[in-house]
Amino acid sequence: MKAPQNVDVPCDQTEYGIRVYDPGFGNTAVSESTITYNDGLKGVLSYRGFDIGDLVTKKGFIDTQYLLLWGHLPSPQEKEKWQRNLASIPRPPKSVFDVIRSFP
């Protein structure tokens, strides 16, 4: 992955690009994305061109979910329809939650 030069940590740069340290993400794949943009050196994180801070403070979960799935923020009618669709999904049985809770 080509990345801007990090003068603070030059050892992370190789002739092939940036080296990724990944202990907690279990070999996360790094590639180009049309959904997410991240520039850690500048503190920039955006989804589909929208700053994550703006999504968190000015939009809600439903809007952000719709944006990630469909590529644009929903109109009021699309948001209402999406909320109805989500509400119509049956809740998993208690046994499913019990199994999940049993994990350490």
Side-chain angles (χ1 to χ4, degrees):
M1 175 174 92
K2 295 294 181 191
Q5 287 294 325
N6 182 349
V7 295
D8 296 330
V9 189
C11 62
D12 284 351
Q13 300 293 321
T14 69
E15 64 184 277
Y16 304 107
I18 191 169
R19 190 174 340 179
V20 178
Y21 178 65
D22 187 306
F25 294 108
N27 299 314
T28 302
V30 177
S31 65
E32 292 184 22
S33 171
T34 58
I35 297 173
T36 303
Y37 175 75
N38 183 2
D39 186 336
L41 296 176
K42 293 181 181 176
V44 175
L45 176 59
S46 63
Y47 292 142
R48 299 211 187 257
F50 291 88
D51 180 81
I52 189 69
D54 290 339
L55 290 172
V56 169
T57 59
K58 298 176 183 171
K59 299 293 177 183
F61 176 77
I62 298 295
D63 293 309
T64 303
Q65 182 184 50
Y66 194 96
L67 171 68
L68 292 173
L69 291 170
W70 304 111
H72 64 278
L73 290 171
S75 68
Q77 296 80 14
E78 290 169 326
K79 183 175 179 177
E80 184 179 324
K81 181 179 178 185
W82 185 243
Q83 286 179 306
R84 280 196 315 269
N85 287 345
L86 291 174
S88 71
I89 298 170
R91 183 180 171 103
K94 181 182 179 300
S95 59
V96 171
F97 291 102
D98 291 341
V99 169
I100 293 170
R101 287 186 192 103
S102 72
F103 293 115

